[in-house]
């Protein structure tokens, strides 16, 4: 027996059931024409992932149900095709509260064929950690789902699992006990650095423990703060990786399945093409580019604009934005103050010229002097401090938002994770904007990625985008004379190491002291993290690329006396 399976690795849009259904239908027809008789689409492919409280709206669930039925009807002429579509499915009964009735719902997948739903499977293991809230919306399933592809002696028994199911033993064992010869796992697994290797390792363990080959069908694309990296793959029963789809791109990826031996002692082997492997920095870059592109265009913005300061953060954001959107859709504005160094002007101009983006200069000096004059009576006898520094940042934020209002482009903010952690950012100033591209990049990673991008040209811009001096000069907000970041913060190598251990890995203050960090640095950084919570609540969304970001992964109270 030989069977062609197609993974339709799609970039879907949350809530666009009609558009998603067209993508699924077109992919199924194309795959069928190329010989595939089993097509897998990602988890919740009909509605996109993650739909959050849309799952609580009966009208939304009905629209999903209608779209699944429409796909089945539209493909009724494709004889012998089995198409797996992920969708929410209402369960029997309702949960009643004082204010509303909420239909119980499954995270489900249906096998479509012959113009109808042949089988429906409900996800059994519901994640409720990191960015996941599935227990808020879904009821766990209880039954295995095994279905036939093909007929008679050539039929293949396929066990269907949904994402988290495959991270646990029992769902796969139940599928095998029901006769499965192959595990088909449909997924929407958010990207973070290192996640791809972790997935392959866990799925290899699953294939070996169940002694079954496995196909991992994954989603691709950006959705608010999360990015899905594609890279669908297949494994033989011994855990050997036997093929992998494209990273960070839609793909129609074909897998050949062969059954060797006789009916009572058959062994299923699978094989497929393998896309080139990518380094961690390359994956980070592609995640940031894809997340930016999808956020801008899926939300209907014509392009993006940002303040270009001549510093490393805005330089990196500009390079990402041009790779994501193209030079014609990106505008930069240099907004010098009396403290802006000549080299900042020079480097900002040079970078804009290298990338071919629109570049304007608007001095904030007149507005800054006007604000100081307006406040002079109130500030009589008081020396200048961070108040005047923040005024400059807020003037710049106001100018950028005015340009956004007038021309429609979204403002990309340029703050990094180290700044977000410690509050080294200004509310309604450099935090003003619609999307925070590098919000989850530590400052040391910002420098590393800038060097990586200067050595690679993955999107064919034909330029080394970032002037070397931007990378090598000491970072500064340039809000007062002779200012550097290290006037207010520990060296970034120390700050970022503490941040990773304390914020991302939940190590305690004592753990940090035991690891050799100075008490002064630990006290300072952890205090700043705690007291900056109110700022982060007002920050724009940004792309998650670590296993814990300042977003859904981090839900700390603003009013809080605990710090240990």
């Amino acid at each position: 027996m030989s069977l062609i399976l197609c993974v339709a690795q799609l970039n879907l849009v949350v809530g666009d059931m009609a558009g998603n259904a067209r993508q699924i239908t077109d992919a199924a027809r194309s795959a069928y024409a190329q010989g595939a008789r089993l097509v897998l689409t990602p988890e919740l492919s009909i509605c996109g992932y993650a739909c959050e409280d849309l799952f609580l709206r009966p009208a939304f669930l009905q629209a999903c149900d209608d779209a699944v039925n429409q796909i089945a009807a539209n493909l009724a002429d494709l004889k012998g095709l089995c198409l797996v579509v992920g969708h929410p499915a209402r369960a029997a009964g309702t949960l009643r509260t004082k204010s509303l009735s909420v239909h119980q719902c499954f995270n489900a997948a249906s096998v479509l064929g012959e113009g109808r739903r042949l089988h429906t499977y409900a996800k059994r293991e519901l994640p409720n950690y990191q960015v996941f809230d599935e227990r808020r919306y879904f009821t766990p399933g209880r039954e295995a789902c095994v279905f036939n592809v093909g007929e008679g002696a050539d039929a293949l028994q396929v066990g269907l699992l949904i994402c988290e199911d495959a991270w646990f033993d029992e769902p796969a064992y139940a599928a095998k006990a029901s006769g499965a010869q192959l595990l088909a796992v449909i997924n929407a697994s958010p990207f973070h650095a290192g996640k791809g290797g972790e997935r392959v390792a866990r799925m290899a363990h699953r294939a070996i423990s169940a002694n079954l080959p496995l196909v991992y069908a994954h989603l691709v694309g950006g959705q608010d703060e999360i990015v899905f990296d594609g890279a669908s793959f297949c494994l033989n029963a011994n855990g050997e990786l036997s093929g992998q789809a494209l990273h960070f791109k839609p793909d129609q990826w074909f897998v050949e399945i062969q059954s060797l031996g006789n009916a009572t002692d058959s062994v299923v082997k699978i094989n497929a093409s393998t896309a080139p492997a990518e380094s961690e920095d390359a994956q980070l870059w592609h995640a940031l580019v894809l997340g930016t592109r999808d956020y801008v265009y899926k939300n209907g913005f014509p392009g993006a604009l940002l303040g270009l300061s001549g510093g490393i953060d805005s330089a990196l954001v500009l390079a990402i934005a041009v790779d994501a959107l193209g030079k014609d859709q990106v505008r930069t504005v240099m907004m010098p103050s009396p403290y802006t160094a000549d080299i900042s002007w020079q480097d900002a101009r040079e970078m804009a010229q290298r990338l071919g983006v629109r570049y304007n200069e608007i001095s904030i000096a007149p507005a800054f002097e006007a604000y100081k004059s307006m406040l002079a009576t109130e500030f009589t006898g008081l020396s200048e401090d961070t108040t005047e520094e923040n005024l400059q940042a807020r003037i710049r934020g106001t100018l950028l938002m005015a340009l956004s209002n007038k021309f429609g482009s979204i403002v990309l903010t340029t703050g990094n994770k180290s700044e977000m952690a410690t509050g080294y950012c200004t509310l309604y100033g450099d935090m003003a904007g619609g999307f925070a591209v590098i919000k989850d990049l530590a400052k040391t990673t910002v420098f590393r990625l800038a060097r990586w991008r200067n050595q690679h040209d993955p999107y064919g811009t034909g330029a080394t985008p970032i002037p070397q001096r931007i990378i090598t000069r000491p970072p500064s907000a340039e809000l007062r004379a002779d200012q550097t970041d290290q006037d207010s913060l520990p060296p970034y190598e120390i700050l970022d190491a503490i941040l990773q251990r304390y914020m991302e890995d939940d190590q305690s203050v004592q753990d940090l002291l035991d690891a050799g960090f100075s008490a002064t640095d630990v006290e300072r950084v952890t205090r700043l993290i705690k007291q900056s919570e109110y700022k982060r609540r007002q920050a724009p969304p940004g792309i998650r690329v670590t296993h814990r970001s300042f977003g859904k992964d981090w839900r700390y109270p603003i009013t809080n006396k605990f710090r240990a």
Side-chain angles (χ1 to χ4, degrees):
M1 181 274 294
S2 179
L3 172 73
I4 300 299
L5 177 155
C6 177
V7 172
Q9 184 172 282
L10 302 174
N11 188 340
L12 305 161
V13 180
V14 163
D16 183 14
M17 274 69 82
N20 295 341
R22 282 193 297 273
Q23 280 202 62
I24 293 167
T25 300
D26 291 346
R29 285 197 173 276
S30 174
Y32 187 85
Q34 296 177 70
R37 292 301 178 263
L38 172 58
V39 177
L40 305 179
T41 68
E43 178 179 11
L44 292 171
S45 55
I46 199 65
C47 57
Y49 195 103
C51 299
E52 300 180 304
D53 280 8
L54 288 172
F55 288 125
L56 304 180
R57 299 185 66 85
F60 178 81
L61 299 179
Q62 185 61 54
C64 291
D65 201 53
D66 292 343
V68 174
N69 291 337
Q70 189 63 54
I71 291 172
N74 289 345
L75 298 176
D77 59 308
L78 303 186
K79 303 304 181 184
L81 175 70
C82 287
L83 169 66
V84 177
V85 175
H87 61 93
R90 280 178 285 193
T94 59
L95 299 174
R96 300 191 180 277
T97 68
K98 291 182 179 179
S99 57
L100 76 165
S101 297
V102 179
H103 290 275
Q104 289 182 285
C105 186
F106 295 123
N107 180 342
S110 288
V111 182
L112 308 184
E114 304 171 6
R116 59 190 177 88
R117 303 186 200 201
L118 303 175
H119 307 272
T120 295
Y121 173 73
K123 187 176 182 179
R124 300 175 62 166
E125 302 291 342
L126 302 178
N128 221 61
Y129 54 86
Q130 293 180 337
V131 299
F132 301 105
D133 281 318
E134 292 203 15
R135 293 178 196 169
R136 176 178 173 86
Y137 307 113
F138 299 124
T139 298
R142 299 181 183 277
E143 304 297 329
C145 177
V146 176
F147 61 95
N148 286 342
V149 182
E151 297 180 352
D154 290 334
L156 178 72
Q157 297 272 87
V158 180
L160 182 58
L161 302 177
I162 301 177
C163 204
E164 190 84 356
D165 290 338
W167 292 68
F168 292 85
D169 292 333
E170 205 280 330
Y173 293 164
K176 182 167 186 178
S178 298
Q181 298 170 286
L182 170 76
L183 296 177
V185 188
I186 64 170
N187 302 270
S189 175
F191 168 83
H192 63 70
K195 184 65 175 291
E198 182 184 359
R199 286 192 206 111
V200 172
R202 291 296 293 268
M203 293 305 103
H205 172 77
R206 179 61 49 238
I208 292 168
S209 65
N211 194 29
L212 290 175
L214 181 151
V215 177
Y216 187 100
H218 195 211
L219 179 65
V220 69
Q223 169 58 30
D224 293 351
E225 294 191 302
I226 55 178
V227 174
F228 301 95
D229 52 317
S232 302
F233 58 89
C234 56
L235 302 159
N236 279 305
N238 62 1
E240 175 189 10
L241 183 68
S242 55
Q244 188 154 40
L246 295 174
H247 296 71
F248 298 100
K249 293 180 181 178
D251 197 4
Q252 195 169 56
W253 184 63
F254 292 90
V255 179
E256 182 182 6
I257 303 170
Q258 290 186 321
S259 180
L260 310 175
N262 55 49
T264 59
D265 187 25
S266 64
V267 177
V268 173
K269 300 284 288 184
I270 57 180
N271 188 53
S273 62
T274 299
E278 295 192 325
S279 69
E280 182 174 309
D281 286 345
Q283 291 184 39
L284 279 175
W285 191 266
H286 292 315
L288 294 165
V289 167
L290 179 59
T292 299
R293 180 189 301 127
D294 278 0
Y295 192 88
V296 171
Y297 289 145
K298 287 182 179 180
N299 286 292
F301 293 101
L305 67 101
L306 65 143
L308 190 62
S309 69
I312 186 67
D313 295 315
S314 63
L316 189 71
V317 171
L318 175 56
I320 293 166
V322 171
D323 279 358
L325 309 174
K327 65 181 181 179
D328 294 336
Q329 276 65 52
V330 181
R331 178 178 180 180
T332 62
V333 186
M334 173 61 158
M335 296 168 285
S337 80
Y339 305 112
T340 300
D342 288 345
I343 60 173
S344 296
W345 293 65
Q346 295 162 8
D347 291 344
R349 289 169 181 167
E350 181 182 347
M351 183 167 180
Q353 184 177 22
R354 287 186 183 194
L355 289 177
V357 298
R358 180 176 177 181
Y359 171 83
N360 297 101
E361 293 174 358
I362 304 174
S363 172
I364 68 167
F368 185 38
E369 291 304 317
Y371 270 101
K372 289 198 292 184
S373 176
M374 293 164 63
L375 292 164
T377 301
E378 295 294 330
F379 291 175
T380 298
L382 302 175
S383 59
E384 291 194 0
D385 55 16
T386 55
T387 304
E388 285 74 20
E389 294 182 25
N390 289 340
L391 270 176
Q392 297 168 69
R394 288 178 178 134
I395 292 166
R396 290 178 172 127
T398 298
L399 291 173
L400 289 172
M401 291 308 300
L403 291 170
S404 176
N405 288 161
K406 186 63 70 175
F407 299 106
S409 294
I410 188 172
V411 174
L412 303 179
T413 66
T414 60
N416 59 65
K417 190 172 191 174
S418 306
E419 294 170 347
M420 295 299 297
T422 57
Y424 198 68
C425 47
T426 303
L427 274 175
Y428 326 121
D430 55 304
M431 293 175 67
F435 196 58
V437 175
I438 59 172
K439 179 181 180 180
D440 200 29
L441 288 186
K443 187 78 167 189
T444 49
T445 309
V446 168
F447 281 105
R448 193 181 84 223
L449 276 188
R451 290 189 291 269
W452 181 90
R453 180 58 183 87
N454 270 3
Q455 296 166 3
H456 300 82
D457 187 18
Y459 296 92
T461 62
T464 299
I466 303 174
Q468 187 63 22
R469 187 167 58 187
I470 290 178
I471 299 174
T472 57
R473 65 184 289 206
S476 170
E478 293 192 326
L479 298 174
R480 64 172 183 268
D482 301 319
Q483 182 184 32
T484 66
D485 290 2
Q486 261 59 75
D487 297 337
S488 305
L489 298 171
Y492 280 116
E493 292 77 10
I494 294 173
L495 189 158
D496 291 349
I498 293 174
L499 175 61
Q500 178 178 340
R501 289 168 177 262
Y502 184 78
M503 180 264 173
E504 294 182 14
D505 299 337
D506 276 330
Q507 292 188 15
S508 68
V509 167
Q510 189 59 52
D511 291 333
L512 295 170
L513 296 175
D514 292 343
F517 294 98
S518 76
T520 300
D521 287 339
V522 170
E523 192 284 330
R524 188 181 191 183
V525 173
T526 57
R527 172 175 50 81
L528 290 171
I529 290 173
K530 177 179 175 295
Q531 72 182 32
S532 301
E533 187 64 37
Y534 79 101
K535 285 189 178 183
R536 290 190 290 271
R537 290 289 184 94
Q538 300 178 69
I543 303 167
R544 174 188 185 266
V545 293
T546 67
H547 73 270
R548 194 172 201 188
S549 66
F550 285 118
K552 291 182 179 180
D553 297 309
W554 178 267
R555 308 183 196 187
Y556 277 66
I558 296 172
T559 306
N560 165 31
K561 295 295 184 183
F562 180 80
R563 179 157 62 95

